[in-house]
Structure formats: C-alpha cells, structure tokens
Amino acid sequence: MIPFLLTFLLALLLYLLLTAGSGNLLLWSPQELVAGVVLSLLAAAVAKNFLCRSHNFRMANPLRLILIPLYLLGPFLLEVTLANLDVAYRVITGKIRPGIIRVQSGLKTDLGIFMLANSITLTPGTITVDIDEESHDLYVHNINVPAGWEAETGVIDRELFSLADIPAWIRRIAE
Amino acid sequence: MIADILVLACLSIGILFNTLGIVGLLRFPDVYTRMHATTKMTTFGSMFTALAVIIFGGAQFISTGDSQYVTLSTHTIIAALALAFTNAVGSHAIARGAHRSGLKPAPAVVDRLEEWAP
Amino acid sequence: MIEPWYAAVFVLVILVCLALARLFLGPTAADRAVAVDTVNTLSVAVLILLGVAYQQIIFIDVAIVYAVLSFVSTLYIAKYLGGEL
C-alpha cells in the first residue's frame, strides 16, 4: 500500500508541475486535474514494484528530500565545474594517463551506490565502469591516474574528490 | 539588459564546452577516454544552454508578466534534470557493456577490472 | 541583428555533423554507441533552443520525452554490447 501511495504522489506531482498554468482552478484547469489523477493511479498500479523495490521508505522523509537540491547546487556544482575545466585542459593538450582503478565506497544502500556512481561519472575526470555487487566496490576509469595509485588495490572514495567531501554528503542523504 | 548579457554569456559557455566535447570525441585514442569528453562536457554544455533559456524566460516574465514564460522555464528545468540523470547512467551502461564485450582500455597504466573477472 | 538562438542552433548542428563523422569512422561498436549518445544530447539542446526561437513550448515537452526515450535505447544498445540480451 505504501509503495502505491508514494508512486502515485510522485507521478501526480510531476504531472502537476508539467501542466501548471493551464486554467483558473488555482493554477490548473479541472480537466487537467482529473486526467492527472487518473493517469497517476494507472502509473502507480503498473510501477509500484519498481520504485520501492527494497521496501525502504527512508527517502520519503521531507528533510532528506530538501538535502538533495542543496547537495546539487552546492558541492556538486563546484566539482562539476572543476572537472569540466580539467577535461577541457586535457582535450586541448592531450596529456592523458588512463587506467581503471578499484574504489572502496563502504556504502550499503542501492540508492547511495547509485548517487555515488553518478556523482563519480559527472565529476572528477572519472567514469564508473562496473560495480562489485557483494562488497559494493566501484571500478572507476580515471583519465589521469595520479602517480602511485596503480599499485594500490583499493582507493578510498574520499580521495577521488579534490574540493568537497561528496561521499559524506551522500552518506548524509541516503543512509 | 543585464539579462541579455547573461543569456549571451551562458549560450557562449555552453557552445564552447559542447565544441570541446566534440573535439575530444574526435581526438582521444580509445572508447573510455572519448566517453570522458562526451559525457561530462556535452552534459555541462547542454546544461548551460538550458540555463540561458531559463534566465531568458525569467527576464521576459518580469518585463512582460506573461505566465507562458514561467511554463517555459519550468519545462526547461525538467528537461535539463532528465538530461543530466540519463546521460550519467547511459554512459555508465555503455562503459560496462564495452568492457564486457572484451574491449580493453588501449593506453592504460592499470586495469583492476581485468584482474577481478566475475 | 541575428537572433542568438538561431546562431547557437547553427553551431550545434555543425557539432552534430562532426559527431556523425565519429559515428562513421568509429573502429568499434562502442565508439559508435558513444557517438549516438552524444548526438542525442545535442539534439535535446537544439530542441530546447528551437522551442525558444519559435516560441513553441511543445518543443520542450518533445525534448523531455526524447531525452527519456533515447536513454532507453542507449541502455538496450549497452546491454547488447555486453552480451546480456
């Protein structure tokens, strides 16, 4: 029941956001509201087992949801800008030293791994290639392996990021 | 006036990063390094062009009061978010598929994934 | 004065053509998949800019749907490359 309700609310919110300003009942026209409720019920009936697969409702807490935009606009934006300047420098000069390294994350939930893998892909000259499903370690392709890392078997995730402590933020949000 | 300058600046930054991404796609030696150029830089560049559109919509709403421009900005924000998430996951999937198909990173100082071999 | 949106769309379309060069040249299938992914991203940017240039908000809705559907196609291509399909 709870997965159904959460999926319904999420779909309805997205629909209302997309059709805002269509009429005079608050912001929406009555037809849009009825269509939104019917379509969200349908979507929730079909997709309830996909959204809440682990039956773990920690993310429904509004406080955690407020943290996500803060994280995206603060440390994440900073790291993305820095990473883009770094890759721009490497495109122009052609100085690369690629390699695949193993990164120990220590995260336990699926959502945490998902957010860390996406943050790694978009930030510091690195792309997540594969994930060890049991130990939740990441295999990361690094465009410029720092000297000495090719001998290490596992790098701690904190060392990948130069400015902000991204893994600590993800732990705060997802665990 | 300030909004015009901001829009032009965001558009220029977006085009610059997109161009560098394509140059990287044509120039880098193997598929993983090419992915670095395209994923990061075209996502960032497209986000900046979307930001230009968002600023334009906000400025037009303030000067004309037409609510159509708010709709423009919200839809662009949703499109930019969809773009950021899908691009990151898509490039991760391509990298995983490429490594499983037996494509090794050609110039590489280390390849830990090769030693793991599930 | 030329509208800045049209100029930006012009440059982006040239970039799409350059990415298509990698699509034809690419030595392996994965290179081609990366090129297709890039073309999809640039297409979404072009659609957003054209939506402003022509004052048509429906173009941006099309861009959202295009981003999500091209993501699904990318996932299927990646699964096929990895031999999991």
Side-chain angles (χ1 to χ4, degrees), chain C residues 1-33:
Chain C
M1 178 196 159
I2 304 175
E3 283 270 323
W5 311 115
Y6 291 111
V9 167
F10 182 71
V11 178
L12 283 181
V13 170
I14 291 176
L15 293 182
V16 167
C17 295
L18 287 176
L20 286 178
R22 174 54 72 194
L23 184 68
F24 286 117
L25 289 175
T28 62
D31 285 307
R32 297 193 166 99

Side-chain angles (χ1 to χ4, degrees), chain C:
Chain C
M1 178 196 159
I2 304 175
E3 283 270 323
W5 311 115
Y6 291 111
V9 167
F10 182 71
V11 178
L12 283 181
V13 170
I14 291 176
L15 293 182
V16 167
C17 295
L18 287 176
L20 286 178
R22 174 54 72 194
L23 184 68
F24 286 117
L25 289 175
T28 62
D31 285 307
R32 297 193 166 99
V34 173
V36 168
D37 202 31
T38 313
V39 170
N40 286 334
T41 312
L42 291 180
S43 306
V44 173
V46 165
L47 274 173
I48 290 176
L49 290 179
L50 280 183
V52 183
Y54 292 135
Q55 305 277 320
Q56 296 278 331
I57 293 178
I58 195 77
F59 277 30
I60 296 170
D61 297 332
V62 174
I64 298 171
V65 176
Y66 186 84
V68 174
L69 282 186
S70 72
F71 168 60
V72 174
S73 78
T74 304
L75 283 191
Y76 268 102
I77 292 172
K79 270 201 175 263
Y80 175 70
L81 281 179
E84 294 169 83
L85 208 62

